[in-house]
Amino acid sequence: MILQVQRIVDCAFNQFHEMFSRLEPNQEDDSANASNTNIRLRFLNDFKLPIYTDKNIVDKNNAAIKVAMFEGGSKITSGPLSKVKVEVLVLRGEFCNNERDDWTEEEFDNHILQGRDEQGLLGTVQLTKGEAELSQIRFKKGTCRKKVIMAARVCKGENIALRVQGAIMKPVVVQDRRNEANEKRHPPSLDDDVFRLEEIARNGEYRKRLKKEGICTVQDFLKALNKDPNKLRKILKMENQNSSWLKLTGHARQCVLEDMPELKRYQSEEGNVVLFFNCVHDLIGAEFGCHYVASGNFSPDQKALVNKWKWRAYDKLEDIASDYIIKDNVPERISASPDAAAGPSVPVFSAPQPNFTASQGTEAAENSPHGDINHIIPHQNGHSDAMIIHPGYLNTNDYQVI
C-alpha cells in the first residue's frame, strides 16, 4: 500500500515538473517583454524649445539633458545597471500617442526612424553611478513639421539579465538651423526685436510700420499696446484682422516681467490720485489719499478718476524714473541711500526751498494742487516729489501723498 502511494506521488511530481519545464521559457520571454517592469531609464529634464539641427540639445537652463536608471522611484547608483551603455534614438512621433508609459521591445523597435534619409541613432553614452549627460547630442536633419521623439534605451550588446524599460521625451518638431534667425520666442523677452512676436516677419510690412513709429522691441510694443491699442492696430493696419491681432497681442503679453519690478509714479495735477505703472506702462494700481488700491479692485468712482488722469500720464511716463517697487502689497520708494534703506519712511513736513531752479519750480508747480512750490522738496535726480503730511495736521487739500 505504501509503495502504491509513493508511485502516485512520484508520478504527480513528474507531471508537474514536466509541465513547469514547458512553461518556463515562455514565462521568461513574457518577463523580458513585460510592460510593467519596475526598472527603467528616465530623462531628468525637458527640452528647451525650439530645437534646431546641428545644435546641442539642452534644457530650459541651457544645461545638458540627463538620463538616469531607476528602480521604482529610486535611482540606481551602484551595481551593473548603474554603468551600462545607453543609446539615444529617434522614434516616429506617433509612438505612444495614447500617452502610455509602457511598451514592448518590439513596439519600440518598430518605431525607430530608419533608412538612408533618416537619423535613427543620435549617439551613445555610458552611465556613471546610474546617470549620464547627453552633452553632445544633436539632430542632423530637420523633420519638415513632423514630430519625432527622442528616446533612450540600454544598448543591445549589454549583457544584463533583466529588461530595462526605455525612456522617451515628448514629441517635438526639429527645425532647420537656417530658420533660427527668424524664430519666435516663447515667451518673448522685453528686449527682443518685435519680429520675434507671432505674426510679425523679420522683413515684413508690420515690422517696417512699427519701426517707423519707433516701436522696435517687445517692450516698445507693449507700451504702445497699453497706451492705446486702437492706435497700434491702425499703425499695423490690422483693424479687420481680429485673429492675427489676438495672436500677436496674446503672444506679446506672455512676456515675463519679474526681472523688472520697478514702477513709475504719476501724481495727478489735482493731487487727488497717484497712479503707478510697470515697466511696460500697464497701470497696476493707484493711491487715493493714503490708501493704495490694485487696479483690479477699483470701485466705479475710483476707476472713473483713474481714467481721467491716466491718459495724461501716458504723455509723461517716458520721462518719469522707475523708482518705486511693490513691498507688502503697497508701492514703496526705492531708497537711494543706506540710511533710507534701513527702515520705512516717516511723515515729514515740507519746508520752503529757497534754492529752487526755475525749471524745478515749474515742474513742482505743475504737480502741486495749488502750484505752491513750498510743499515740494527737490531730489538729486532732478525729479520732485511731495512729502507725506498727515491729514490730521492740516486741511487735506494742502497735502500730497507718495
Side-chain angles (χ1 to χ4, degrees), residues 257-269:
L257 309 179
E258 279 80 357
D259 292 338
M260 295 184 66
E262 296 83 7
L263 306 176
K264 295 185 177 185
R265 171 188 180 275
Y266 172 83
Q267 181 166 336
S268 69
E269 295 173 13

PDB file of all heavy atoms in Angstrom, residues 257-269:
ATOM      1  N   LEU A 257       7.807  89.678 -16.756  1.00  0.00           N
ATOM      2  CA  LEU A 257       8.228  90.990 -16.268  1.00  0.00           C
ATOM      3  C   LEU A 257       8.886  90.946 -14.893  1.00  0.00           C
ATOM      4  O   LEU A 257       9.269  91.988 -14.364  1.00  0.00           O
ATOM      5  CB  LEU A 257       7.011  91.931 -16.205  1.00  0.00           C
ATOM      6  CG  LEU A 257       6.155  92.039 -17.467  1.00  0.00           C
ATOM      7  CD1 LEU A 257       4.992  92.992 -17.232  1.00  0.00           C
ATOM      8  CD2 LEU A 257       6.987  92.492 -18.658  1.00  0.00           C
ATOM      9  N   GLU A 258       9.019  89.742 -14.318  1.00  0.00           N
ATOM     10  CA  GLU A 258       9.519  89.644 -12.943  1.00  0.00           C
ATOM     11  C   GLU A 258      10.904  90.256 -12.757  1.00  0.00           C
ATOM     12  O   GLU A 258      11.244  90.723 -11.674  1.00  0.00           O
ATOM     13  CB  GLU A 258       9.553  88.180 -12.494  1.00  0.00           C
ATOM     14  CG  GLU A 258       8.234  87.624 -12.021  1.00  0.00           C
ATOM     15  CD  GLU A 258       7.319  87.225 -13.169  1.00  0.00           C
ATOM     16  OE1 GLU A 258       7.721  87.447 -14.340  1.00  0.00           O
ATOM     17  OE2 GLU A 258       6.217  86.715 -12.911  1.00  0.00           O
ATOM     18  N   ASP A 259      11.713  90.260 -13.815  1.00  0.00           N
ATOM     19  CA  ASP A 259      13.068  90.804 -13.687  1.00  0.00           C
ATOM     20  C   ASP A 259      13.106  92.334 -13.679  1.00  0.00           C
ATOM     21  O   ASP A 259      14.155  92.929 -13.446  1.00  0.00           O
ATOM     22  CB  ASP A 259      13.952  90.291 -14.826  1.00  0.00           C
ATOM     23  CG  ASP A 259      14.213  88.796 -14.722  1.00  0.00           C
ATOM     24  OD1 ASP A 259      14.089  88.267 -13.598  1.00  0.00           O
ATOM     25  OD2 ASP A 259      14.522  88.167 -15.744  1.00  0.00           O
ATOM     26  N   MET A 260      11.972  92.969 -13.963  1.00  0.00           N
ATOM     27  CA  MET A 260      11.902  94.433 -13.943  1.00  0.00           C
ATOM     28  C   MET A 260      10.689  94.861 -13.101  1.00  0.00           C
ATOM     29  O   MET A 260       9.669  95.315 -13.636  1.00  0.00           O
ATOM     30  CB  MET A 260      11.805  94.985 -15.362  1.00  0.00           C
ATOM     31  CG  MET A 260      13.041  94.723 -16.204  1.00  0.00           C
ATOM     32  SD  MET A 260      12.959  95.496 -17.845  1.00  0.00           S
ATOM     33  CE  MET A 260      12.993  97.242 -17.426  1.00  0.00           C
ATOM     34  N   PRO A 261      10.772  94.731 -11.776  1.00  0.00           N
ATOM     35  CA  PRO A 261       9.631  95.022 -10.906  1.00  0.00           C
ATOM     36  C   PRO A 261       9.428  96.510 -10.602  1.00  0.00           C
ATOM     37  O   PRO A 261       8.436  96.877  -9.968  1.00  0.00           O
ATOM     38  CB  PRO A 261       9.974  94.260  -9.628  1.00  0.00           C
ATOM     39  CG  PRO A 261      11.474  94.313  -9.573  1.00  0.00           C
ATOM     40  CD  PRO A 261      11.936  94.232 -11.009  1.00  0.00           C
ATOM     41  N   GLU A 262      10.356  97.369 -11.040  1.00  0.00           N
ATOM     42  CA  GLU A 262      10.268  98.787 -10.694  1.00  0.00           C
ATOM     43  C   GLU A 262       9.037  99.440 -11.322  1.00  0.00           C
ATOM     44  O   GLU A 262       8.634  99.104 -12.436  1.00  0.00           O
ATOM     45  CB  GLU A 262      11.529  99.527 -11.124  1.00  0.00           C
ATOM     46  CG  GLU A 262      12.793  99.066 -10.401  1.00  0.00           C
ATOM     47  CD  GLU A 262      13.403  97.837 -11.004  1.00  0.00           C
ATOM     48  OE1 GLU A 262      12.936  97.390 -12.081  1.00  0.00           O
ATOM     49  OE2 GLU A 262      14.340  97.282 -10.408  1.00  0.00           O
ATOM     50  N   LEU A 263       8.488 100.404 -10.612  1.00  0.00           N
ATOM     51  CA  LEU A 263       7.271 101.098 -11.048  1.00  0.00           C
ATOM     52  C   LEU A 263       7.529 102.585 -11.245  1.00  0.00           C
ATOM     53  O   LEU A 263       8.433 103.164 -10.636  1.00  0.00           O
ATOM     54  CB  LEU A 263       6.156 100.926 -10.004  1.00  0.00           C
ATOM     55  CG  LEU A 263       5.808  99.498  -9.584  1.00  0.00           C
ATOM     56  CD1 LEU A 263       4.759  99.536  -8.474  1.00  0.00           C
ATOM     57  CD2 LEU A 263       5.323  98.676 -10.767  1.00  0.00           C
ATOM     58  N   LYS A 264       6.705 103.192 -12.087  1.00  0.00           N
ATOM     59  CA  LYS A 264       6.710 104.642 -12.272  1.00  0.00           C
ATOM     60  C   LYS A 264       5.507 105.236 -11.558  1.00  0.00           C
ATOM     61  O   LYS A 264       4.418 104.673 -11.588  1.00  0.00           O
ATOM     62  CB  LYS A 264       6.663 104.983 -13.766  1.00  0.00           C
ATOM     63  CG  LYS A 264       7.888 104.534 -14.541  1.00  0.00           C
ATOM     64  CD  LYS A 264       7.846 104.996 -15.984  1.00  0.00           C
ATOM     65  CE  LYS A 264       9.121 104.586 -16.721  1.00  0.00           C
ATOM     66  NZ  LYS A 264       9.158 105.118 -18.102  1.00  0.00           N
ATOM     67  N   ARG A 265       5.740 106.388 -10.938  1.00  0.00           N
ATOM     68  CA  ARG A 265       4.691 107.048 -10.162  1.00  0.00           C
ATOM     69  C   ARG A 265       4.299 108.361 -10.844  1.00  0.00           C
ATOM     70  O   ARG A 265       5.142 109.195 -11.136  1.00  0.00           O
ATOM     71  CB  ARG A 265       5.204 107.339  -8.744  1.00  0.00           C
ATOM     72  CG  ARG A 265       4.302 108.206  -7.889  1.00  0.00           C
ATOM     73  CD  ARG A 265       5.022 108.561  -6.592  1.00  0.00           C
ATOM     74  NE  ARG A 265       4.201 109.401  -5.742  1.00  0.00           N
ATOM     75  CZ  ARG A 265       4.100 110.721  -5.827  1.00  0.00           C
ATOM     76  NH1 ARG A 265       4.784 111.371  -6.767  1.00  0.00           N
ATOM     77  NH2 ARG A 265       3.331 111.391  -4.997  1.00  0.00           N
ATOM     78  N   TYR A 266       3.003 108.519 -11.073  1.00  0.00           N
ATOM     79  CA  TYR A 266       2.491 109.769 -11.654  1.00  0.00           C
ATOM     80  C   TYR A 266       1.412 110.322 -10.738  1.00  0.00           C
ATOM     81  O   TYR A 266       0.446 109.646 -10.404  1.00  0.00           O
ATOM     82  CB  TYR A 266       1.895 109.533 -13.035  1.00  0.00           C
ATOM     83  CG  TYR A 266       1.186 110.752 -13.600  1.00  0.00           C
ATOM     84  CD1 TYR A 266       1.910 111.756 -14.232  1.00  0.00           C
ATOM     85  CD2 TYR A 266      -0.193 110.908 -13.455  1.00  0.00           C
ATOM     86  CE1 TYR A 266       1.275 112.890 -14.730  1.00  0.00           C
ATOM     87  CE2 TYR A 266      -0.835 112.038 -13.953  1.00  0.00           C
ATOM     88  CZ  TYR A 266      -0.099 113.027 -14.585  1.00  0.00           C
ATOM     89  OH  TYR A 266      -0.737 114.155 -15.068  1.00  0.00           O
ATOM     90  N   GLN A 267       1.589 111.592 -10.318  1.00  0.00           N
ATOM     91  CA  GLN A 267       0.596 112.244  -9.464  1.00  0.00           C
ATOM     92  C   GLN A 267      -0.242 113.199 -10.299  1.00  0.00           C
ATOM     93  O   GLN A 267       0.275 113.992 -11.098  1.00  0.00           O
ATOM     94  CB  GLN A 267       1.287 113.015  -8.340  1.00  0.00           C
ATOM     95  CG  GLN A 267       0.262 113.681  -7.404  1.00  0.00           C
ATOM     96  CD  GLN A 267       0.889 114.156  -6.125  1.00  0.00           C
ATOM     97  OE1 GLN A 267       1.927 113.640  -5.717  1.00  0.00           O
ATOM     98  NE2 GLN A 267       0.276 115.110  -5.479  1.00  0.00           N
ATOM     99  N   SER A 268      -1.539 113.097 -10.127  1.00  0.00           N
ATOM    100  CA  SER A 268      -2.442 113.959 -10.884  1.00  0.00           C
ATOM    101  C   SER A 268      -2.218 115.412 -10.518  1.00  0.00           C
ATOM    102  O   SER A 268      -1.739 115.741  -9.421  1.00  0.00           O
ATOM    103  CB  SER A 268      -3.898 113.572 -10.610  1.00  0.00           C
ATOM    104  OG  SER A 268      -4.260 113.889  -9.283  1.00  0.00           O
ATOM    105  N   GLU A 269      -2.571 116.307 -11.430  1.00  0.00           N
ATOM    106  CA  GLU A 269      -2.377 117.725 -11.199  1.00  0.00           C
ATOM    107  C   GLU A 269      -3.218 118.229 -10.032  1.00  0.00           C
ATOM    108  O   GLU A 269      -2.844 119.184  -9.353  1.00  0.00           O
ATOM    109  CB  GLU A 269      -2.715 118.500 -12.480  1.00  0.00           C
ATOM    110  CG  GLU A 269      -1.775 118.180 -13.635  1.00  0.00           C
ATOM    111  CD  GLU A 269      -2.222 118.819 -14.934  1.00  0.00           C
ATOM    112  OE1 GLU A 269      -3.104 119.701 -14.874  1.00  0.00           O
ATOM    113  OE2 GLU A 269      -1.691 118.461 -15.996  1.00  0.00           O
TER     114      GLU A 269
END
